[in-house]
């Protein structure tokens, strides 16, 4: 059995009939959606991911929009890295603003990830990603540089032009030489006019299910 399927089996046991459940993006969460179809008529689903939304719709789940929901029982998502302070960096998909809405709505926000993504110090190889209003581009680029970062506007890989989020905004990947002051940097950039959200989930993680592919075992972060 793959470690992802092992993780998913643990996650399924947390989903109960009558719940409103958040499903994020990524292959492990996608597998969770597929493996939970025995509950398809017993739960309602929210997701920040267009791919997950399409999958859940095809499988017959009742998919609702976050704008009409003020509480989620439990939500599941992935991450690039997380730490023991229940914080995480999420940058790859560029949907972190919508993911944060789901995380904040959820009574319990669980991350599903390989054990090696639990770290004591976040890697600077992973950028801090900002979703930014287009008119604030120059302002934000200047402020990131002033804070010691290297900002790069994300471009689309499948077309000529910049990457736009589902909200119609730009993504700026910010590489810093150190994350020792990540919380402080995040606060300053979050407060900057034109920054919609950052990809740093500061103390937003409730729990995590971490799979170890070497020993085929599961660890939990509470």
């Amino acid at each position: 059995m793959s470690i992802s399927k092992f993780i998913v089996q643990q996650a399924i046991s947390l989903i109960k009939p009558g719940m409103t459940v958040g499903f994020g993006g990524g292959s492990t969460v996608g597998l969770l959606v597929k493996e939970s179809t025995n509950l398809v008529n017993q739960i309602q689903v929210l997701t920040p991911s267009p791919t997950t939304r399409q999958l859940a719709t095809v499988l017959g789940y009742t998919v609702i929009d976050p704008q009409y929901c003020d509480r989620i029982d439990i939500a599941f998502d992935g991450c690039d890295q997380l730490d023991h302070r229940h914080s995480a960096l999420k940058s790859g998909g560029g949907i972190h603003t919508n993911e944060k809405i789901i995380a904040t709505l959820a009574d319990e926000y669980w991350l599903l990830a390989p054990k090696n993504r639990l770290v004591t110090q976040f890697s600077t190889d992973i950028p801090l990603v900002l979703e930014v209003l287009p008119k604030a581009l120059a302002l934000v680029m200047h402020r990131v540089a002033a804070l010691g970062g290297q900002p790069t506007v994300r471009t689309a890989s499948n077309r000529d032009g910049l990457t736009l989020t589902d909200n119609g905004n730009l993504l700026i990947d910010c590489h810093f030489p150190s994350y020792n002051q990540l919380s402080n940097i995040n606060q300053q950039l979050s407060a900057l006019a034109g920054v919609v959200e950052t990809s740093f989930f500061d103390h937003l993680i409730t729990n995590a299910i971490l799979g170890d592919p070497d020993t085929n075992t599961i660890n939990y972060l509470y």
Side-chain angles (χ1 to χ4, degrees):
M1 180 185 299
S2 71
I3 195 63
S4 292
K5 194 158 187 176
F6 201 15
I7 292 172
V8 163
Q9 285 186 339
Q10 311 308 306
I12 288 174
S13 66
L14 300 170
I15 304 174
K16 308 300 180 186
M19 280 186 166
T20 299
V21 181
F23 290 122
S27 59
T28 301
V29 174
L31 181 60
L32 175 59
V33 174
K34 293 176 184 177
E35 294 290 324
S36 302
T37 50
N38 62 308
L39 293 164
V40 71
N41 296 316
Q42 303 178 61
I43 62 175
Q44 56 183 1
V45 169
L46 299 90
T47 178
S49 164
T51 301
T52 302
R53 185 183 185 91
Q54 181 181 34
L55 174 63
T57 301
V58 168
L59 292 174
Y61 289 92
T62 298
V63 182
I64 62 175
D65 196 291
Q67 73 187 74
Y68 303 115
C69 181
D70 60 7
R71 177 182 167 272
I72 299 172
D73 292 288
I74 192 168
F76 302 93
D77 211 342
C79 67
D80 291 306
Q81 288 188 337
L82 69 154
D83 67 13
H84 294 275
R85 301 185 310 113
H86 292 247
S87 298
L89 271 176
K90 297 166 58 63
S91 62
I95 58 173
H96 52 268
T97 296
N98 295 339
E99 287 175 325
K100 272 190 179 178
I101 292 171
I102 299 295
T104 305
L105 285 170
D107 291 343
E108 296 182 20
Y109 184 61
W110 288 72
L111 293 187
L112 313 178
K115 183 182 177 182
N116 61 7
R117 295 193 184 179
L118 178 64
V119 298
T120 55
Q121 178 69 44
F122 289 112
S123 170
T124 54
D125 291 338
I126 300 171
L128 177 67
V129 186
L130 311 179
E131 179 169 353
V132 174
L133 297 177
K135 290 182 179 180
L137 176 60
L139 168 66
V140 175
M141 296 283 281
H142 178 76
R143 182 61 59 87
V144 171
L147 290 171
Q150 283 190 317
T152 303
V153 183
R154 191 178 296 188
T155 56
S157 59
N158 59 347
R159 67 178 180 85
D160 184 17
L162 303 176
T163 298
L164 295 180
T165 69
D166 293 339
N167 305 315
N169 299 317
L170 301 174
L171 292 171
I172 301 179
D173 294 319
C174 306
H175 286 276
F176 288 89
S178 170
Y179 276 149
N180 290 335
Q181 300 296 321
L182 177 56
S183 183
N184 180 50
I185 291 171
N186 184 72
Q187 288 178 4
Q188 291 191 57
L189 293 176
S190 295
L192 186 62
V195 174
V196 180
E197 260 302 348
T198 79
S199 65
F200 181 51
F201 284 51
D202 196 3
H203 295 87
L204 278 178
I205 315 308
T206 310
N207 312 91
I209 302 175
L210 306 167
D212 188 338
D214 295 327
T215 60
N216 209 34
T217 58
I218 293 293
N219 296 273
Y220 288 86
L221 175 67
Y222 293 106

